[in-house]
PDB file of all heavy atoms in Angstrom:
ATOM      1  N   TYR S   1     135.725  53.439  59.401  1.00 98.00           N
ATOM      2  CA  TYR S   1     135.094  54.698  59.022  1.00 98.00           C
ATOM      3  C   TYR S   1     135.499  55.112  57.607  1.00 98.00           C
ATOM      4  O   TYR S   1     136.534  54.700  57.082  1.00 98.00           O
ATOM      5  CB  TYR S   1     135.473  55.782  60.032  1.00 98.00           C
ATOM      6  CG  TYR S   1     135.187  55.360  61.459  1.00 98.00           C
ATOM      7  CD1 TYR S   1     136.218  55.020  62.323  1.00 98.00           C
ATOM      8  CD2 TYR S   1     133.874  55.252  61.908  1.00 98.00           C
ATOM      9  CE1 TYR S   1     135.950  54.605  63.619  1.00 98.00           C
ATOM     10  CE2 TYR S   1     133.603  54.828  63.206  1.00 98.00           C
ATOM     11  CZ  TYR S   1     134.642  54.503  64.055  1.00 98.00           C
ATOM     12  OH  TYR S   1     134.365  54.073  65.330  1.00 98.00           O
ATOM     13  N   GLY S   2     134.670  55.938  57.008  1.00 97.00           N
ATOM     14  CA  GLY S   2     134.954  56.418  55.665  1.00 97.00           C
ATOM     15  C   GLY S   2     134.462  57.840  55.497  1.00 97.00           C
ATOM     16  O   GLY S   2     133.847  58.424  56.400  1.00 97.00           O
ATOM     17  N   LEU S   3     134.730  58.393  54.324  1.00 98.00           N
ATOM     18  CA  LEU S   3     134.342  59.773  54.029  1.00 98.00           C
ATOM     19  C   LEU S   3     133.152  59.807  53.078  1.00 98.00           C
ATOM     20  O   LEU S   3     133.014  58.966  52.188  1.00 98.00           O
ATOM     21  CB  LEU S   3     135.505  60.520  53.390  1.00 98.00           C
ATOM     22  CG  LEU S   3     136.696  60.858  54.281  1.00 98.00           C
ATOM     23  CD1 LEU S   3     137.801  61.491  53.439  1.00 98.00           C
ATOM     24  CD2 LEU S   3     136.295  61.787  55.412  1.00 98.00           C
ATOM     25  N   ASN S   4     132.322  60.799  53.287  1.00 97.00           N
ATOM     26  CA  ASN S   4     131.325  61.179  52.296  1.00 97.00           C
ATOM     27  C   ASN S   4     132.085  61.719  51.101  1.00 97.00           C
ATOM     28  O   ASN S   4     132.797  62.718  51.207  1.00 97.00           O
ATOM     29  CB  ASN S   4     130.416  62.251  52.903  1.00 97.00           C
ATOM     30  CG  ASN S   4     129.583  62.991  51.877  1.00 97.00           C
ATOM     31  OD1 ASN S   4     129.353  62.508  50.767  1.00 97.00           O
ATOM     32  ND2 ASN S   4     129.132  64.173  52.258  1.00 97.00           N
ATOM     33  N   ASN S   5     131.972  61.085  49.946  1.00 95.00           N
ATOM     34  CA  ASN S   5     132.840  61.448  48.827  1.00 95.00           C
ATOM     35  C   ASN S   5     132.521  62.811  48.214  1.00 95.00           C
ATOM     36  O   ASN S   5     133.282  63.305  47.380  1.00 95.00           O
ATOM     37  CB  ASN S   5     132.816  60.371  47.741  1.00 95.00           C
ATOM     38  CG  ASN S   5     131.496  60.306  47.000  1.00 95.00           C
ATOM     39  OD1 ASN S   5     130.430  60.278  47.620  1.00 95.00           O
ATOM     40  ND2 ASN S   5     131.546  60.270  45.671  1.00 95.00           N
ATOM     41  N   TYR S   6     131.408  63.428  48.589  1.00 95.00           N
ATOM     42  CA  TYR S   6     131.188  64.815  48.168  1.00 95.00           C
ATOM     43  C   TYR S   6     132.227  65.747  48.794  1.00 95.00           C
ATOM     44  O   TYR S   6     132.438  66.848  48.302  1.00 95.00           O
ATOM     45  CB  TYR S   6     129.795  65.288  48.589  1.00 95.00           C
ATOM     46  CG  TYR S   6     128.682  64.947  47.627  1.00 95.00           C
ATOM     47  CD1 TYR S   6     127.881  63.836  47.850  1.00 95.00           C
ATOM     48  CD2 TYR S   6     128.409  65.744  46.517  1.00 95.00           C
ATOM     49  CE1 TYR S   6     126.829  63.521  46.989  1.00 95.00           C
ATOM     50  CE2 TYR S   6     127.373  65.436  45.647  1.00 95.00           C
ATOM     51  CZ  TYR S   6     126.584  64.321  45.884  1.00 95.00           C
ATOM     52  OH  TYR S   6     125.555  64.014  45.029  1.00 95.00           O
ATOM     53  N   THR S   7     132.838  65.313  49.903  1.00 96.00           N
ATOM     54  CA  THR S   7     133.712  66.197  50.684  1.00 96.00           C
ATOM     55  C   THR S   7     135.153  65.695  50.698  1.00 96.00           C
ATOM     56  O   THR S   7     135.811  65.696  51.742  1.00 96.00           O
ATOM     57  CB  THR S   7     133.199  66.323  52.126  1.00 96.00           C
ATOM     58  OG1 THR S   7     133.209  65.020  52.746  1.00 96.00           O
ATOM     59  CG2 THR S   7     131.790  66.882  52.159  1.00 96.00           C
ATOM     60  N   VAL S   8     135.654  65.252  49.533  1.00 94.00           N
ATOM     61  CA  VAL S   8     137.034  64.782  49.475  1.00 94.00           C
ATOM     62  C   VAL S   8     137.765  65.475  48.342  1.00 94.00           C
ATOM     63  O   VAL S   8     137.159  66.016  47.408  1.00 94.00           O
ATOM     64  CB  VAL S   8     137.112  63.247  49.248  1.00 94.00           C
ATOM     65  CG1 VAL S   8     136.422  62.503  50.369  1.00 94.00           C
ATOM     66  CG2 VAL S   8     136.524  62.845  47.896  1.00 94.00           C
ATOM     67  N   ARG S   9     139.075  65.439  48.402  1.00 86.00           N
ATOM     68  CA  ARG S   9     139.907  65.906  47.301  1.00 86.00           C
ATOM     69  C   ARG S   9     140.252  64.711  46.421  1.00 86.00           C
ATOM     70  O   ARG S   9     140.391  63.591  46.894  1.00 86.00           O
ATOM     71  CB  ARG S   9     141.192  66.539  47.831  1.00 86.00           C
ATOM     72  CG  ARG S   9     140.945  67.731  48.730  1.00 86.00           C
ATOM     73  CD  ARG S   9     142.240  68.425  49.086  1.00 86.00           C
ATOM     74  NE  ARG S   9     142.845  69.081  47.940  1.00 86.00           N
ATOM     75  CZ  ARG S   9     142.450  70.260  47.453  1.00 86.00           C
ATOM     76  NH1 ARG S   9     141.451  70.910  48.023  1.00 86.00           N
ATOM     77  NH2 ARG S   9     143.051  70.792  46.421  1.00 86.00           N
ATOM     78  N   GLY S  10     140.390  64.924  45.141  1.00 83.00           N
ATOM     79  CA  GLY S  10     140.839  63.865  44.255  1.00 83.00           C
ATOM     80  C   GLY S  10     139.719  63.179  43.501  1.00 83.00           C
ATOM     81  O   GLY S  10     138.569  63.621  43.482  1.00 83.00           O
ATOM     82  N   SER S  11     140.055  62.035  42.900  1.00 82.00           N
ATOM     83  CA  SER S  11     139.165  61.358  41.964  1.00 82.00           C
ATOM     84  C   SER S  11     137.965  60.697  42.617  1.00 82.00           C
ATOM     85  O   SER S  11     137.027  60.293  41.919  1.00 82.00           O
ATOM     86  CB  SER S  11     139.952  60.296  41.187  1.00 82.00           C
ATOM     87  OG  SER S  11     140.509  59.340  42.074  1.00 82.00           O
ATOM     88  N   ALA S  12     137.958  60.550  43.938  1.00 87.00           N
ATOM     89  CA  ALA S  12     136.816  59.918  44.604  1.00 87.00           C
ATOM     90  C   ALA S  12     135.592  60.834  44.648  1.00 87.00           C
ATOM     91  O   ALA S  12     134.484  60.375  44.918  1.00 87.00           O
ATOM     92  CB  ALA S  12     137.191  59.511  46.031  1.00 87.00           C
ATOM     93  N   ALA S  13     135.776  62.118  44.390  1.00 88.00           N
ATOM     94  CA  ALA S  13     134.652  63.046  44.390  1.00 88.00           C
ATOM     95  C   ALA S  13     133.681  62.700  43.268  1.00 88.00           C
ATOM     96  O   ALA S  13     134.060  62.088  42.267  1.00 88.00           O
ATOM     97  CB  ALA S  13     135.149  64.477  44.215  1.00 88.00           C
ATOM     98  N   PRO S  14     132.403  63.067  43.416  1.00 89.00           N
ATOM     99  CA  PRO S  14     131.413  62.746  42.384  1.00 89.00           C
ATOM    100  C   PRO S  14     131.784  63.323  41.030  1.00 89.00           C
ATOM    101  O   PRO S  14     132.427  64.365  40.934  1.00 89.00           O
ATOM    102  CB  PRO S  14     130.130  63.396  42.919  1.00 89.00           C
ATOM    103  CG  PRO S  14     130.333  63.492  44.390  1.00 89.00           C
ATOM    104  CD  PRO S  14     131.801  63.731  44.575  1.00 89.00           C
ATOM    105  N   ALA S  15     131.374  62.608  39.976  1.00 82.00           N
ATOM    106  CA  ALA S  15     131.611  63.091  38.621  1.00 82.00           C
ATOM    107  C   ALA S  15     130.851  64.392  38.385  1.00 82.00           C
ATOM    108  O   ALA S  15     129.880  64.704  39.082  1.00 82.00           O
ATOM    109  CB  ALA S  15     131.177  62.031  37.612  1.00 82.00           C
ATOM    110  N   THR S  16     131.263  65.149  37.395  1.00 74.00           N
ATOM    111  CA  THR S  16     130.731  66.484  37.145  1.00 74.00           C
ATOM    112  C   THR S  16     129.213  66.508  36.995  1.00 74.00           C
ATOM    113  O   THR S  16     128.542  67.421  37.485  1.00 74.00           O
ATOM    114  CB  THR S  16     131.375  67.073  35.875  1.00 74.00           C
ATOM    115  OG1 THR S  16     132.789  67.039  35.997  1.00 74.00           O
ATOM    116  CG2 THR S  16     130.923  68.503  35.663  1.00 74.00           C
ATOM    117  N   GLU S  17     128.642  65.493  36.345  1.00 75.00           N
ATOM    118  CA  GLU S  17     127.201  65.527  36.108  1.00 75.00           C
ATOM    119  C   GLU S  17     126.383  65.439  37.393  1.00 75.00           C
ATOM    120  O   GLU S  17     125.203  65.755  37.409  1.00 75.00           O
ATOM    121  CB  GLU S  17     126.792  64.390  35.160  1.00 75.00           C
ATOM    122  CG  GLU S  17     127.067  62.989  35.665  1.00 75.00           C
ATOM    123  CD  GLU S  17     128.398  62.452  35.158  1.00 75.00           C
ATOM    124  OE1 GLU S  17     129.294  63.271  34.854  1.00 75.00           O
ATOM    125  OE2 GLU S  17     128.533  61.223  35.068  1.00 75.00           O
ATOM    126  N   TYR S  18     127.008  64.993  38.477  1.00 78.00           N
ATOM    127  CA  TYR S  18     126.289  64.906  39.748  1.00 78.00           C
ATOM    128  C   TYR S  18     126.397  66.198  40.561  1.00 78.00           C
ATOM    129  O   TYR S  18     125.649  66.407  41.502  1.00 78.00           O
ATOM    130  CB  TYR S  18     126.839  63.758  40.595  1.00 78.00           C
ATOM    131  CG  TYR S  18     126.452  62.389  40.110  1.00 78.00           C
ATOM    132  CD1 TYR S  18     127.361  61.595  39.421  1.00 78.00           C
ATOM    133  CD2 TYR S  18     125.178  61.879  40.346  1.00 78.00           C
ATOM    134  CE1 TYR S  18     127.004  60.324  38.978  1.00 78.00           C
ATOM    135  CE2 TYR S  18     124.817  60.612  39.916  1.00 78.00           C
ATOM    136  CZ  TYR S  18     125.740  59.841  39.227  1.00 78.00           C
ATOM    137  OH  TYR S  18     125.389  58.595  38.801  1.00 78.00           O
ATOM    138  N   MET S  19     127.355  67.032  40.229  1.00 75.00           N
ATOM    139  CA  MET S  19     127.604  68.222  41.025  1.00 75.00           C
ATOM    140  C   MET S  19     126.645  69.341  40.613  1.00 75.00           C
ATOM    141  O   MET S  19     126.463  69.616  39.430  1.00 75.00           O
ATOM    142  CB  MET S  19     129.046  68.696  40.835  1.00 75.00           C
ATOM    143  CG  MET S  19     130.086  67.617  41.126  1.00 75.00           C
ATOM    144  SD  MET S  19     130.008  66.997  42.825  1.00 75.00           S
ATOM    145  CE  MET S  19     130.723  68.382  43.687  1.00 75.00           C
ATOM    146  N   LYS S  20     126.042  69.975  41.586  1.00 72.00           N
ATOM    147  CA  LYS S  20     125.080  71.032  41.294  1.00 72.00           C
ATOM    148  C   LYS S  20     125.749  72.403  41.117  1.00 72.00           C
ATOM    149  O   LYS S  20     125.222  73.284  40.490  1.00 72.00           O
ATOM    150  CB  LYS S  20     124.027  71.089  42.404  1.00 72.00           C
ATOM    151  CG  LYS S  20     123.170  69.821  42.473  1.00 72.00           C
ATOM    152  CD  LYS S  20     122.152  69.955  43.582  1.00 72.00           C
ATOM    153  CE  LYS S  20     121.190  68.770  43.576  1.00 72.00           C
ATOM    154  NZ  LYS S  20     121.880  67.488  43.804  1.00 72.00           N
ATOM    155  N   ARG S  21     126.904  72.556  41.745  1.00 67.00           N
ATOM    156  CA  ARG S  21     127.540  73.863  41.665  1.00 67.00           C
ATOM    157  C   ARG S  21     129.051  73.758  41.488  1.00 67.00           C
ATOM    158  O   ARG S  21     129.610  74.249  40.520  1.00 67.00           O
ATOM    159  CB  ARG S  21     127.230  74.676  42.930  1.00 67.00           C
ATOM    160  CG  ARG S  21     127.829  76.086  42.928  1.00 67.00           C
ATOM    161  CD  ARG S  21     127.336  76.879  44.135  1.00 67.00           C
ATOM    162  NE  ARG S  21     127.695  76.260  45.397  1.00 67.00           N
ATOM    163  CZ  ARG S  21     128.864  76.437  46.013  1.00 67.00           C
ATOM    164  NH1 ARG S  21     129.785  77.208  45.464  1.00 67.00           N
ATOM    165  NH2 ARG S  21     129.108  75.859  47.159  1.00 67.00           N
ATOM    166  N   ASP S  22     129.709  73.110  42.397  1.00 70.00           N
ATOM    167  CA  ASP S  22     131.168  73.110  42.392  1.00 70.00           C
ATOM    168  C   ASP S  22     131.656  71.918  43.185  1.00 70.00           C
ATOM    169  O   ASP S  22     130.877  71.212  43.831  1.00 70.00           O
ATOM    170  CB  ASP S  22     131.683  74.418  43.021  1.00 70.00           C
ATOM    171  CG  ASP S  22     133.112  74.731  42.610  1.00 70.00           C
ATOM    172  OD1 ASP S  22     133.749  73.869  41.960  1.00 70.00           O
ATOM    173  OD2 ASP S  22     133.591  75.818  42.936  1.00 70.00           O
ATOM    174  N   ARG S  23     132.941  71.664  43.172  1.00 83.00           N
ATOM    175  CA  ARG S  23     133.513  70.640  44.042  1.00 83.00           C
ATOM    176  C   ARG S  23     133.643  71.216  45.451  1.00 83.00           C
ATOM    177  O   ARG S  23     134.014  72.364  45.638  1.00 83.00           O
ATOM    178  CB  ARG S  23     134.864  70.169  43.510  1.00 83.00           C
ATOM    179  CG  ARG S  23     134.724  69.408  42.198  1.00 83.00           C
ATOM    180  CD  ARG S  23     135.969  68.598  41.883  1.00 83.00           C
ATOM    181  NE  ARG S  23     135.786  67.821  40.669  1.00 83.00           N
ATOM    182  CZ  ARG S  23     135.236  66.621  40.633  1.00 83.00           C
ATOM    183  NH1 ARG S  23     134.817  66.065  41.743  1.00 83.00           N
ATOM    184  NH2 ARG S  23     135.099  65.971  39.492  1.00 83.00           N
ATOM    185  N   TYR S  24     133.374  70.373  46.420  1.00 91.00           N
ATOM    186  CA  TYR S  24     133.331  70.842  47.817  1.00 91.00           C
ATOM    187  C   TYR S  24     134.518  70.282  48.591  1.00 91.00           C
ATOM    188  O   TYR S  24     134.362  69.545  49.563  1.00 91.00           O
ATOM    189  CB  TYR S  24     132.020  70.397  48.457  1.00 91.00           C
ATOM    190  CG  TYR S  24     130.800  70.866  47.697  1.00 91.00           C
ATOM    191  CD1 TYR S  24     130.145  70.017  46.819  1.00 91.00           C
ATOM    192  CD2 TYR S  24     130.334  72.173  47.832  1.00 91.00           C
ATOM    193  CE1 TYR S  24     129.030  70.445  46.111  1.00 91.00           C
ATOM    194  CE2 TYR S  24     129.224  72.609  47.128  1.00 91.00           C
ATOM    195  CZ  TYR S  24     128.582  71.738  46.266  1.00 91.00           C
ATOM    196  OH  TYR S  24     127.490  72.172  45.562  1.00 91.00           O
ATOM    197  N   ASP S  25     135.735  70.624  48.170  1.00 92.00           N
ATOM    198  CA  ASP S  25     136.928  70.057  48.777  1.00 92.00           C
ATOM    199  C   ASP S  25     137.655  71.028  49.705  1.00 92.00           C
ATOM    200  O   ASP S  25     138.782  70.786  50.116  1.00 92.00           O
ATOM    201  CB  ASP S  25     137.889  69.548  47.697  1.00 92.00           C
ATOM    202  CG  ASP S  25     138.234  70.615  46.656  1.00 92.00           C
ATOM    203  OD1 ASP S  25     137.777  71.775  46.807  1.00 92.00           O
ATOM    204  OD2 ASP S  25     138.945  70.281  45.693  1.00 92.00           O
ATOM    205  N   GLU S  26     136.988  72.140  50.027  1.00 94.00           N
ATOM    206  CA  GLU S  26     137.533  73.100  50.989  1.00 94.00           C
ATOM    207  C   GLU S  26     136.392  73.574  51.878  1.00 94.00           C
ATOM    208  O   GLU S  26     135.243  73.699  51.428  1.00 94.00           O
ATOM    209  CB  GLU S  26     138.156  74.305  50.275  1.00 94.00           C
ATOM    210  CG  GLU S  26     139.330  73.966  49.378  1.00 94.00           C
ATOM    211  CD  GLU S  26     139.877  75.200  48.667  1.00 94.00           C
ATOM    212  OE1 GLU S  26     139.373  76.311  48.946  1.00 94.00           O
ATOM    213  OE2 GLU S  26     140.788  75.044  47.833  1.00 94.00           O
ATOM    214  N   ILE S  27     136.701  73.863  53.128  1.00 96.00           N
ATOM    215  CA  ILE S  27     135.660  74.260  54.077  1.00 96.00           C
ATOM    216  C   ILE S  27     134.986  75.549  53.633  1.00 96.00           C
ATOM    217  O   ILE S  27     133.791  75.767  53.879  1.00 96.00           O
ATOM    218  CB  ILE S  27     136.240  74.406  55.508  1.00 96.00           C
ATOM    219  CG1 ILE S  27     135.118  74.537  56.538  1.00 96.00           C
ATOM    220  CG2 ILE S  27     137.227  75.558  55.587  1.00 96.00           C
ATOM    221  CD1 ILE S  27     134.229  73.326  56.657  1.00 96.00           C
ATOM    222  N   GLN S  28     135.728  76.425  52.923  1.00 95.00           N
ATOM    223  CA  GLN S  28     135.160  77.695  52.467  1.00 95.00           C
ATOM    224  C   GLN S  28     134.041  77.490  51.432  1.00 95.00           C
ATOM    225  O   GLN S  28     133.229  78.382  51.213  1.00 95.00           O
ATOM    226  CB  GLN S  28     136.260  78.581  51.858  1.00 95.00           C
ATOM    227  CG  GLN S  28     137.341  79.008  52.836  1.00 95.00           C
ATOM    228  CD  GLN S  28     138.481  78.005  52.929  1.00 95.00           C
ATOM    229  OE1 GLN S  28     138.334  76.856  52.516  1.00 95.00           O
ATOM    230  NE2 GLN S  28     139.609  78.429  53.483  1.00 95.00           N
ATOM    231  N   ARG S  29     133.997  76.315  50.808  1.00 94.00           N
ATOM    232  CA  ARG S  29     133.005  76.060  49.761  1.00 94.00           C
ATOM    233  C   ARG S  29     131.751  75.365  50.293  1.00 94.00           C
ATOM    234  O   ARG S  29     130.833  75.084  49.513  1.00 94.00           O
ATOM    235  CB  ARG S  29     133.629  75.186  48.671  1.00 94.00           C
ATOM    236  CG  ARG S  29     134.781  75.862  47.938  1.00 94.00           C
ATOM    237  CD  ARG S  29     135.320  74.960  46.847  1.00 94.00           C
ATOM    238  NE  ARG S  29     136.365  75.628  46.075  1.00 94.00           N
ATOM    239  CZ  ARG S  29     136.984  75.088  45.022  1.00 94.00           C
ATOM    240  NH1 ARG S  29     136.652  73.863  44.634  1.00 94.00           N
ATOM    241  NH2 ARG S  29     137.909  75.751  44.372  1.00 94.00           N
ATOM    242  N   ILE S  30     131.719  75.078  51.563  1.00 96.00           N
ATOM    243  CA  ILE S  30     130.588  74.348  52.139  1.00 96.00           C
ATOM    244  C   ILE S  30     129.549  75.345  52.655  1.00 96.00           C
ATOM    245  O   ILE S  30     129.829  76.122  53.580  1.00 96.00           O
ATOM    246  CB  ILE S  30     131.039  73.431  53.287  1.00 96.00           C
ATOM    247  CG1 ILE S  30     132.134  72.478  52.802  1.00 96.00           C
ATOM    248  CG2 ILE S  30     129.859  72.658  53.851  1.00 96.00           C
ATOM    249  CD1 ILE S  30     131.707  71.520  51.728  1.00 96.00           C
ATOM    250  N   PRO S  31     128.344  75.350  52.100  1.00 95.00           N
ATOM    251  CA  PRO S  31     127.323  76.319  52.547  1.00 95.00           C
ATOM    252  C   PRO S  31     126.909  76.133  54.010  1.00 95.00           C
ATOM    253  O   PRO S  31     126.754  77.098  54.743  1.00 95.00           O
ATOM    254  CB  PRO S  31     126.143  76.043  51.602  1.00 95.00           C
ATOM    255  CG  PRO S  31     126.740  75.376  50.410  1.00 95.00           C
ATOM    256  CD  PRO S  31     127.877  74.570  50.939  1.00 95.00           C
ATOM    257  N   ARG S  32     126.727  74.871  54.433  1.00 96.00           N
ATOM    258  CA  ARG S  32     126.247  74.593  55.786  1.00 96.00           C
ATOM    259  C   ARG S  32     127.052  73.441  56.401  1.00 96.00           C
ATOM    260  O   ARG S  32     126.613  72.270  56.379  1.00 96.00           O
ATOM    261  CB  ARG S  32     124.757  74.229  55.754  1.00 96.00           C
ATOM    262  CG  ARG S  32     123.850  75.424  55.423  1.00 96.00           C
ATOM    263  CD  ARG S  32     122.440  74.977  55.082  1.00 96.00           C
ATOM    264  NE  ARG S  32     122.413  74.240  53.824  1.00 96.00           N
ATOM    265  CZ  ARG S  32     122.414  74.808  52.622  1.00 96.00           C
ATOM    266  NH1 ARG S  32     122.445  76.133  52.505  1.00 96.00           N
ATOM    267  NH2 ARG S  32     122.395  74.069  51.521  1.00 96.00           N
ATOM    268  N   PRO S  33     128.218  73.732  56.962  1.00 97.00           N
ATOM    269  CA  PRO S  33     129.064  72.673  57.543  1.00 97.00           C
ATOM    270  C   PRO S  33     128.351  71.850  58.620  1.00 97.00           C
ATOM    271  O   PRO S  33     128.533  70.636  58.696  1.00 97.00           O
ATOM    272  CB  PRO S  33     130.249  73.446  58.136  1.00 97.00           C
ATOM    273  CG  PRO S  33     130.315  74.697  57.319  1.00 97.00           C
ATOM    274  CD  PRO S  33     128.893  75.050  57.018  1.00 97.00           C
ATOM    275  N   SER S  34     127.519  72.489  59.432  1.00 97.00           N
ATOM    276  CA  SER S  34     126.857  71.773  60.528  1.00 97.00           C
ATOM    277  C   SER S  34     125.826  70.773  60.027  1.00 97.00           C
ATOM    278  O   SER S  34     125.430  69.861  60.765  1.00 97.00           O
ATOM    279  CB  SER S  34     126.179  72.767  61.477  1.00 97.00           C
ATOM    280  OG  SER S  34     125.148  73.473  60.807  1.00 97.00           O
ATOM    281  N   ALA S  35     125.389  70.910  58.771  1.00 97.00           N
ATOM    282  CA  ALA S  35     124.380  70.011  58.210  1.00 97.00           C
ATOM    283  C   ALA S  35     124.977  68.970  57.276  1.00 97.00           C
ATOM    284  O   ALA S  35     124.259  68.091  56.801  1.00 97.00           O
ATOM    285  CB  ALA S  35     123.324  70.816  57.462  1.00 97.00           C
ATOM    286  N   THR S  36     126.280  69.048  57.020  1.00 98.00           N
ATOM    287  CA  THR S  36     126.909  68.207  56.003  1.00 98.00           C
ATOM    288  C   THR S  36     127.660  67.041  56.620  1.00 98.00           C
ATOM    289  O   THR S  36     128.598  67.232  57.409  1.00 98.00           O
ATOM    290  CB  THR S  36     127.869  69.045  55.129  1.00 98.00           C
ATOM    291  OG1 THR S  36     127.160  70.168  54.591  1.00 98.00           O
ATOM    292  CG2 THR S  36     128.434  68.215  54.007  1.00 98.00           C
ATOM    293  N   VAL S  37     127.268  65.817  56.260  1.00 98.00           N
ATOM    294  CA  VAL S  37     127.953  64.610  56.728  1.00 98.00           C
ATOM    295  C   VAL S  37     129.364  64.568  56.171  1.00 98.00           C
ATOM    296  O   VAL S  37     129.598  64.869  54.993  1.00 98.00           O
ATOM    297  CB  VAL S  37     127.184  63.343  56.292  1.00 98.00           C
ATOM    298  CG1 VAL S  37     128.035  62.091  56.498  1.00 98.00           C
ATOM    299  CG2 VAL S  37     125.880  63.222  57.063  1.00 98.00           C
ATOM    300  N   HIS S  38     130.304  64.169  57.021  1.00 98.00           N
ATOM    301  CA  HIS S  38     131.697  64.069  56.612  1.00 98.00           C
ATOM    302  C   HIS S  38     132.190  62.631  56.795  1.00 98.00           C
ATOM    303  O   HIS S  38     132.338  61.888  55.843  1.00 98.00           O
ATOM    304  CB  HIS S  38     132.539  65.058  57.424  1.00 98.00           C
ATOM    305  CG  HIS S  38     133.958  65.138  56.985  1.00 98.00           C
ATOM    306  ND1 HIS S  38     135.006  65.220  57.873  1.00 98.00           N
ATOM    307  CD2 HIS S  38     134.523  65.131  55.741  1.00 98.00           C
ATOM    308  CE1 HIS S  38     136.145  65.276  57.205  1.00 98.00           C
ATOM    309  NE2 HIS S  38     135.887  65.216  55.916  1.00 98.00           N
ATOM    310  N   PHE S  39     132.387  62.211  58.046  1.00 98.00           N
ATOM    311  CA  PHE S  39     132.746  60.816  58.325  1.00 98.00           C
ATOM    312  C   PHE S  39     131.481  59.973  58.533  1.00 98.00           C
ATOM    313  O   PHE S  39     130.455  60.462  59.010  1.00 98.00           O
ATOM    314  CB  PHE S  39     133.626  60.717  59.569  1.00 98.00           C
ATOM    315  CG  PHE S  39     135.081  61.001  59.298  1.00 98.00           C
ATOM    316  CD1 PHE S  39     135.636  62.232  59.627  1.00 98.00           C
ATOM    317  CD2 PHE S  39     135.892  60.048  58.700  1.00 98.00           C
ATOM    318  CE1 PHE S  39     136.970  62.502  59.377  1.00 98.00           C
ATOM    319  CE2 PHE S  39     137.231  60.300  58.440  1.00 98.00           C
ATOM    320  CZ  PHE S  39     137.775  61.533  58.776  1.00 98.00           C
ATOM    321  N   LEU S  40     131.588  58.709  58.167  1.00 98.00           N
ATOM    322  CA  LEU S  40     130.485  57.754  58.322  1.00 98.00           C
ATOM    323  C   LEU S  40     131.093  56.377  58.579  1.00 98.00           C
ATOM    324  O   LEU S  40     132.315  56.251  58.749  1.00 98.00           O
ATOM    325  CB  LEU S  40     129.614  57.757  57.063  1.00 98.00           C
ATOM    326  CG  LEU S  40     130.354  57.767  55.711  1.00 98.00           C
ATOM    327  CD1 LEU S  40     130.799  56.375  55.298  1.00 98.00           C
ATOM    328  CD2 LEU S  40     129.496  58.396  54.631  1.00 98.00           C
TER     329      LEU S  40
END
């Protein structure tokens, strides 16, 4: 299993140009947790 890298802490997160708003490394920053893939 692995993580969706949009939802990780550290350098594995997408580069800035891919981010539409902010880094999503805390549950408080996730607009729709029930719709967001985490493990795969």
Side-chain angles (χ1 to χ4, degrees):
Y1 307 107
L3 289 175
N4 165 21
N5 70 312
Y6 275 98
T7 61
V8 300
R9 300 187 68 79
S11 60
T16 305
E17 62 265 26
Y18 287 103
M19 305 300 286
K20 295 180 174 62
R21 181 173 60 85
D22 201 352
R23 292 197 177 274
Y24 304 99
D25 54 3
E26 298 178 4
I27 192 64
Q28 296 88 343
R29 296 182 176 182
I30 304 297
R32 290 167 292 279
S34 64
T36 306
V37 167
H38 186 221
F39 278 102
L40 44 82

